[in-house]
């Protein structure tokens, strides 16, 4: 089973009854791996790959990656917001200018390395003088 991507033993079960039964060891697939890097991987893409991006609102990140157009449909299954980019800086263009990390998600042929970007911090307006010279109840 490990040769087919199912290395983790789960349980042993017997199916059937009487003379028509068989006992099986059941194995689970390897959990998806997340590998982190310290510098961006995907500033620009080289043919035959193109830049794709996705905003993950639930986690507050925007991701950029390089994919072959022929693989887009496969990764779109796992990342519904995946979109072909019109620029080399789609996350910055969408308000996520701050590089956070580079991660590889998945395993084997179903893996992809992407750069994650954080949103810009909210702007804080500073006044030249105090707004409140005195307080009253």
């Amino acid at each position: 089973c490990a040769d087919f991507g199912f290395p983790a033993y789960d349980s042993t079960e017997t199916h059937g009854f009487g003379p028509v039964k068989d006992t099986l060891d059941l194995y689970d697939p390897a959990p998806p791996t997340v590998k982190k890097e310290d510098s961006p991987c995907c500033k620009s893409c080289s043919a035959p790959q193109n830049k794709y991006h996705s905003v993950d609102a639930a986690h507050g990140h925007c991701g950029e990656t390089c994919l072959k157009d022929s693989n887009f449909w496969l990764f779109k299954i796992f990342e519904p917001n995946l979109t072909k980019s019109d620029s080399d800086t789609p996350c910055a263009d969408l308000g996520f200018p701050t590089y956070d990390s580079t991660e590889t998600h998945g395993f084997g042929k179903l893996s992809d390395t992407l750069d994650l970007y954080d949103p810009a911090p909210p702007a804080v307006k500073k006044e030249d003088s105090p707004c409140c010279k005195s307080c009253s109840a």
Side-chain angles (χ1 to χ4, degrees):
C1 290
D3 292 342
F4 296 102
F6 295 84
Y9 172 78
D10 180 13
S11 60
T12 300
E13 293 184 6
T14 300
H15 294 263
F17 61 92
V20 182
K21 66 180 178 180
D22 194 19
T23 301
L24 307 167
D25 288 335
L26 302 178
Y27 290 81
D28 291 330
T33 57
V34 175
K35 179 182 165 190
K36 290 195 171 197
E37 303 290 335
D38 292 330
S39 60
C41 69
C42 306
K43 288 277 189 192
S44 63
C45 304
S46 301
Q49 296 183 327
N50 290 299
K51 176 77 68 113
Y52 286 84
H53 69 276
S54 178
V55 174
D56 183 355
H59 294 100
H61 288 295
C62 177
E64 296 181 8
T65 189
C66 297
L67 290 175
K68 291 181 182 179
D69 290 340
S70 61
N71 290 337
F72 169 73
W73 69 272
L74 179 62
F75 288 98
K76 180 82 171 171
I77 293 169
F78 301 104
E79 187 59 48
N81 293 332
L82 190 62
T83 305
K84 190 169 185 178
S85 305
D86 293 329
S87 80
D88 275 341
T89 58
C91 289
D93 299 345
L94 293 169
F96 293 81
T98 308
Y99 173 75
D100 179 74
S101 60
T102 297
E103 297 183 354
T104 300
H105 295 183
F107 59 94
K109 291 185 179 184
L110 284 178
S111 68
D112 185 47
T113 300
L114 62 144
D115 294 330
L116 297 175
Y117 291 85
D118 294 332
V124 176
K125 182 180 177 188
K126 290 190 176 188
E127 300 293 332
D128 292 332
S129 60
C131 68
C132 306
K133 297 195 188 235
S134 64
C135 297
S136 60

